[in-house]
Amino acid sequence: MSGILLLVIAIILFALAYVYYAGWLGKQWGLDVTRETPAHTMYDGVDYVPAKAPVLLGHHFASIAGAGPINGPVLAATFGWIPVTLWIILGNIFFGAVHDFGSLLASIRHKGMSIGGIIELNVGTAAKRLFLLFSWLTLVLIIAAFANIVADTFVSTPQAATSSLLFMPLAVAFGFAIYRRNAPLFLSTIIGVVILFLCVVLGVYLPLHLSKTAWLIILSIYIIAASILPVWLLLQPRDYLNSFLLYAMILGGVIGVILYHPSIQMPAITSFKVGTQYLFPMLFITIACGAISGFHSLVASGTTAKQLDKEGDTKVIGYGGMLIEGVLAILATLTAVYLTTENYGALLKGGPVNVFATGLATFMTSFGLDATTGKTFTALAVSAFALTTLDTAARIGRFAFQEFFATAATPSPAEAAEARPATTVSILANRYVASIVTVAISVWLAFTSWSVIWPMFGSANQLLAAVALLAVAAWLANAGKNNKMLIFPMIFMFLVTLTALGFLIRDNAAKGNYALVFFGVLLFILAIILIALAYNVLTGKKKRAGVPV
């Protein structure tokens, strides 16, 4: 089959879904373009800061994409290209994009609360505390997995390391210019993007060679700082500028596929069992962010909802952002399946990023880009993806840790009016302590190989998606709105992830990976308890009053 045909079919289906299905979802959920968002009503200059739609889409997309939609489809290609592409297309349209859109809308209707806060109001306080623990454990795995990937990429491609470090002061300067000097966005973006690509060039000529251990230490310091600094100063502008690098990579890949005309060489379907892994449930766990990702709900409710300028932007950022990630996942799939099985196996020894970067660079030779330059640029873009996920995950992990250890107190009149509960702060709820503890445990776990962490991360991440779907469905049930479009995806994701966790707990116990066994058992138990607590709300047997509509 032609790779062009597969890519075109996917893009057309995504476009139709955005226009018709996302439009229908907006009507069912009561999307209101005239409502003020929490970024305005709760502005604080640190976390609650309104951002223009292109800036926020850049931050959101760069944060949610990570290396997941690249690693996952490349690894899952062992099951054959048909099951991989079917799950990416159908999963994006009916699972992932619905999950992201719903999470973002639910959060802005709850004053920018996290998914944990939404669960508290719609299910109960006990469910919220369980969710905070659940999400924090998942975030630790996410940070560990992506710190590992970034460190490995910096070791194998030191040019990407130099460029990534240069991006950071550029982002700070951009944020300061926009938010403190009121510089025009259009002109600042042009200047910022030009400097961004100059940083790429400098990286090629000034590669920075350090060990993996050194990079893990440097990354831990960076993500602690990124989780504490005001969002406008580093996180948002860095993600926005990086998004142009990512868009360029995707555009280059799409044009490359069109001009290169790759033909699919790998089998359409291989076997239900490949090695020690079964297509169900591991296909859905391995592809992970390429179709649906629970981490997206944490980004949507953790940082994006607090920066949303207009409620009408929810559709393009929530539903549309996920579809862009779907296009990237299809591109990643093509970089694997255009190879013969033997060549795929040989390249995979260098990791899935090696397969992706080599394939995309090969496609881009069709319009004159040198293969070595193309591979370096792609590796840099992938590291930018992973780094944005890292700093966002660290910030959200800090939020979850703080919220779990904050003790409820009597709210002031102002806090009560804004539906923000007052808290008394213990030392563990201090933002510096919360950041250091979260990152330290994650980096300790990161010294394990990414290939060991990835399946557990995938299971935890997809299980988190099921819980987020549960939270949004509970809110819609309490608000008297249609939640049927969430029920089947939620049930399916619970079945997939709980089955996968069972397999992974067994396998890691046999290999002596007891830290991952602990994570797996705890996540499994927490998910079962959350389902039990939410059951009466989802079935309509019990409604909670006073929830936002």
Side-chain angles (χ1 to χ4, degrees), residues 435-508:
S435 295
I436 291 169
V437 171
T438 300
V439 173
I441 294 174
S442 301
V443 172
W444 168 73
L445 195 59
F447 279 96
T448 306
S449 169
W450 70 266
S451 60
V452 175
I453 301 172
W454 189 265
M456 187 63 73
F457 148 71
S459 298
N461 188 40
Q462 305 307 74
L463 189 53
L464 181 59
V467 174
L469 289 167
L470 180 151
V472 179
W475 163 58
L476 292 172
N478 282 323
K481 295 178 180 177
N482 184 6
N483 69 355
K484 290 182 175 60
M485 68 290 289
L486 299 167
I487 299 300
F488 175 75
M490 178 191 73
I491 293 171
F492 181 79
M493 294 312 299
F494 271 124
L495 288 173
V496 164
T497 51
L498 290 175
T499 303
L501 271 179
F503 283 128
L504 290 169
I505 291 167
R506 180 199 65 186
D507 294 344
N508 280 292

Side-chain angles (χ1 to χ4, degrees), residues 8-367:
V8 169
I9 289 172
I11 292 173
I12 290 173
L13 290 174
F14 287 157
L16 291 172
Y18 178 79
V19 173
Y20 295 106
Y21 192 52
W24 178 77
L25 290 174
K27 290 176 183 176
Q28 294 295 305
W29 297 342
L31 192 66
D32 184 355
V33 297
T34 64
R35 283 199 188 205
E36 273 199 302
T37 62
H40 294 283
T41 60
M42 301 175 68
Y43 176 86
D44 64 6
V46 178
D47 295 313
Y48 289 84
V49 181
K52 296 182 186 300
V55 176
L56 189 55
L57 177 61
H59 158 71
H60 181 78
F61 175 62
S63 297
I64 66 172
I70 293 168
N71 279 25
V74 169
L75 291 170
T78 56
F79 291 110
W81 66 266
I82 284 183
V84 172
T85 54
L86 278 177
W87 176 235
I88 290 172
I89 294 171
L90 297 178
N92 265 273
I93 292 171
F94 297 108
F95 288 68
V98 175
H99 164 278
D100 293 12
F101 188 9
S103 298
L104 183 54
L105 183 62
S107 181
I108 62 171
R109 292 290 176 84
H110 287 77
K111 305 290 184 181
M113 286 184 177
S114 67
I115 294 294
I118 295 167
I119 287 178
E120 180 178 28
L121 283 180
N122 291 278
V123 181
T125 303
K128 174 202 173 180
R129 292 185 66 78
L130 288 171
F131 175 80
L132 289 173
L133 179 57
F134 182 96
S135 59
W136 183 80
L137 289 169
T138 304
L139 286 161
V140 166
L141 287 169
I142 290 171
I143 296 168
F146 284 86
N148 212 313
I149 290 168
V150 173
D152 282 342
T153 302
F154 283 177
V155 170
S156 63
T157 314
Q159 298 88 346
T162 304
S163 299
S164 296
L165 290 179
L166 291 173
F167 291 170
M168 294 170 194
L170 170 62
V172 171
F174 183 88
F176 187 80
I178 293 294
Y179 290 105
R180 289 297 179 266
R181 289 292 179 264
N182 295 316
L185 177 62
F186 181 74
L187 179 61
S188 300
T189 299
I190 292 174
I191 295 171
V193 171
V194 170
I195 297 174
L196 176 78
F197 281 94
L198 284 176
C199 292
V200 175
V201 175
L202 283 173
V204 172
Y205 289 101
L206 299 170
L208 184 57
H209 298 273
L210 294 174
S211 68
K212 181 176 179 178
T213 299
W215 279 123
L216 284 173
I217 293 170
I218 292 169
L219 287 170
S220 66
I221 295 168
Y222 164 71
I223 57 180
I224 288 171
S227 71
I228 294 170
L229 290 171
V231 70
W232 61 266
L233 184 61
L234 176 61
L235 194 70
Q236 187 194 89
R238 197 183 76 83
D239 292 353
Y240 172 62
L241 290 173
N242 270 349
S243 68
F244 287 93
L245 189 67
L246 311 181
Y247 297 148
M249 183 189 76
I250 294 173
L251 181 62
V254 170
I255 295 172
V257 168
I258 292 171
L259 297 179
Y260 190 83
H261 296 287
S263 296
I264 295 175
Q265 302 293 323
M266 287 183 68
I269 301 174
T270 53
S271 173
F272 185 77
K273 184 181 181 183
V274 178
T276 60
Q277 295 191 339
Y278 295 91
L279 187 147
F280 182 91
M282 296 314 295
L283 171 79
F284 308 97
I285 297 305
T286 305
I287 291 176
C289 316
I292 180 171
S293 168
F295 176 63
H296 296 189
S297 70
L298 301 183
V299 175
S301 65
T303 58
T304 305
K306 296 175 177 64
Q307 302 171 66
L308 197 77
D309 186 34
K310 300 173 184 176
E311 187 167 300
D313 296 340
T314 310
K315 178 184 170 184
V316 66
I317 293 169
Y319 199 94
M322 183 64 213
L323 294 183
I324 298 173
E325 187 163 349
V327 174
L328 177 61
I330 291 292
L331 278 175
T333 304
L334 288 175
T335 63
V337 300
Y338 92 105
L339 299 166
T340 62
T341 303
E342 293 75 19
N343 289 339
Y344 166 77
L347 284 174
L348 193 59
K349 291 178 182 177
V353 173
N354 184 50
V355 177
F356 176 75
T358 302
L360 214 62
T362 301
F363 297 159
M364 290 191 289
T365 58
S366 62
F367 54 82

